[in-house]
Every structure is written in C-alpha cells, then in structure tokens.
Amino acid sequence: MTRANIIAIDGPAASGKSTVAERLAKELGYLFFDTGIMYRAVTLAALEQLHAVDDEAQVTQLAESVQIDVDPASVQDGRMCDVLLGGRDVTWLIRSAQVDANVSQVSAYPGVRQAMTVQQRRIGKRGSVVMVGRDIGTVVLPEADLKVYLDASVEERARRRYVENQERGRQSDYEEILASMKRRDAIDSSRAVAPLKPADDAVILNTDGLSIEEVVDRLRQLSQ
Ligand code: DC
C-alpha cells in the first residue's frame, strides 16, 4: 500500500486537530498547515483596520489584499509556527478572545472563503501535506488520499481549551469558553458556504477519552 500523500483533517474547535496533525506531519516529514490561522489573521486585520467585522464587502476586500505568511517558529514559546500579518508577528494576537468571538462571522462570508480557499488549494496540491480545518475534505482538497473528521463533545473541547489557557498563564472562565464554543459550533455548522461537516468518505474519529498519543497512533495507521 502507498502512503497517503494529501491528508485532510477536519473537525470542530478544540477537537485536538492541530496538535495531532502537527505530530503526524512531523513523523511523515510532511508540511503541517492549519487553515484556521488564515481566517483568524483576516479577522484580526478587520478588527484592527475596520474596528468591526460587520461590513462584508470591506472584510472581503481586506481578505483579498491582506498578506498572511506562515513561517517556521522563530521563538520557543509554545508556538507551532510564526504567523505574520503584513510582515508583523501576530502569532498570539490571533488567539485572543476578541478574535475567537468574531472569527466565525468572518469565515462565513463567501468572498472571504473564496480568497482563502484559492491559497489553501495551491499549498495542498503540492502534496506531502497534512492540512487542517473545517472544509478541507469537503471543499479545499476533495481529492485528498485520507480524510479524517475528528470529533469530541463540546464539554470535553471546552475543558481542553481551559487547560490550554491555564498552561499558557491566561486567565479564563470555563463556562464562558463553553458558551463561546457552542456559539462558534452553531455558526460554523449552519453557514451556507462550506459548513462544518464530515466528507462522505471521511473516517470519523471521536477523541473523547483518548490521549493525544492514541489519536496520533490511529492516524498513523490510517495514513499507511
Ligand atoms: O480551528 P480554529 O479554531 O483556529 O478556526 C478558527 C475559525 O475559522 C473557526 O471558527 C472556523 C473557521 N475555519 C473555517 O471556517 N474553515 C477552515 N478551513 C478553518 C477554520
């Protein structure tokens, strides 16, 4: 059997996609690409430059012109990579509660998705890639050799995000995270364009109660 060349991993917020996908990519010597970063960077740009995300036409124009770069991590502070917006390091800014609260609205705009999808396809089609997001198996790379949909209960995902914040020394409230995650799930799953859902040919993996290592083991088996 040949090893999967293009691997698509989708799933809801904090399902553990990025952590396990990054490890798998490292093992395989593949590029790891987290597409959520791009929607977060556009959201940050809109909040900074437009002070709101409600004007769809303006946000779309911004998405079409903004320069987002993802480079290897230059600082050892827990980051997986450097995220640059117009050359400025915004790696942690794109993880703020304000971006969390607005990113689903921005990523529901069809013109924004179009602009991001074009760039993601170009990167994905080169192969030797593990690409992570919400619509990779359904829209961005439907030709992927392996499609996995990682799921977990919303309570488990909120708990993971809470622990992650604590580890980074960020104050947070579990109930607030849970409410924000439910809101985001609802918007991501119900939007008209590229809603969050498993591709028909995706392997669905529920990670409740599974360790990171166990999930990576399963992905490794699936990719062989
Ligand atoms: O994975 P994440 O939490 O960093 O994603 C941030 C937001 O971006 C999320 O609310 C949904 C959106 N997103 C998307 O719509 N399509 C993708 N391929 C990746 C992320």
Side-chain angles (χ1 to χ4, degrees):
M1 272 207 298
T2 53
R3 184 201 267 175
N5 184 32
I6 298 180
I7 301 176
I9 301 185
D10 291 300
S15 53
K17 307 182 295 282
S18 303
T19 309
V20 295
E22 197 210 13
R23 291 204 189 181
L24 179 71
K26 208 175 238 170
E27 278 187 22
L28 299 175
Y30 284 12
L31 173 74
F32 161 67
F33 196 87
D34 176 4
T35 57
I37 282 174
M38 301 181 77
Y39 292 97
R40 286 176 177 275
V42 172
T43 304
L44 178 67
L47 289 169
E48 288 183 341
Q49 294 177 36
L50 310 171
H51 309 294
V53 300
D54 298 323
D55 189 327
E56 182 172 348
Q58 279 199 328
V59 175
T60 301
Q61 210 173 36
L62 199 57
E64 286 164 353
S65 60
V66 85
Q67 191 197 333
I68 304 166
D69 292 299
V70 182
D71 291 342
S74 64
V75 189
Q76 299 303 314
D77 61 357
R79 65 181 62 189
M80 289 179 176
C81 54
D82 286 358
V83 182
L84 307 178
L85 184 61
R88 180 171 57 112
D89 188 337
V90 295
T91 309
W92 293 118
L93 276 179
I94 61 165
R95 303 284 164 194
S96 71
Q98 212 196 354
V99 169
D100 270 357
N102 288 280
V103 67
S104 281
Q105 185 176 345
V106 169
S107 58
Y109 294 150
V112 171
R113 300 207 69 81
Q114 173 66 20
M116 299 297 107
T117 299
V118 168
Q119 298 193 38
Q120 292 159 12
R121 279 208 184 112
R122 206 182 46 232
I123 295 164
K125 277 182 187 299
R126 293 186 211 141
S128 300
V129 67
V130 182
M131 194 170 277
V132 171
R134 301 290 190 290
D135 60 341
I136 310 305
T138 50
V139 176
V140 178
L141 298 168
E143 73 276 34
D145 307 299
L146 171 64
K147 300 178 188 179
V148 179
Y149 186 89
L150 281 191
D151 214 348
S153 67
V154 69
E155 290 79 13
E156 169 69 15
R157 291 186 281 120
R159 193 191 61 76
R160 287 179 191 165
R161 184 53 55 84
Y162 177 74
V163 171
E164 199 178 282
N165 285 346
Q166 276 191 321
E167 283 169 0
R168 287 182 186 153
R170 272 171 57 176
Q171 284 287 356
S172 61
D173 178 80
Y174 171 79
E175 292 300 331
E176 256 175 46
I177 295 175
L178 181 64
S180 154
M181 210 159 265
K182 284 182 179 171
R183 218 170 23 244
R184 213 132 67 84
D185 280 358
I187 302 177
D188 291 346
S189 314
S190 64
R191 67 180 174 225
V193 182
L196 169 67
K197 63 166 190 201
D200 290 339
D201 50 351
V203 177
I204 299 177
L205 196 55
N206 189 306
T207 66
D208 275 352
L210 292 184
S211 68
I212 291 171
E213 226 18 84
E214 286 169 322
V215 180
V216 176
D217 283 348
R218 183 82 183 100
L219 293 179
R220 191 184 303 113
Q221 287 164 6
L222 288 167
S223 67
Q224 297 306 316

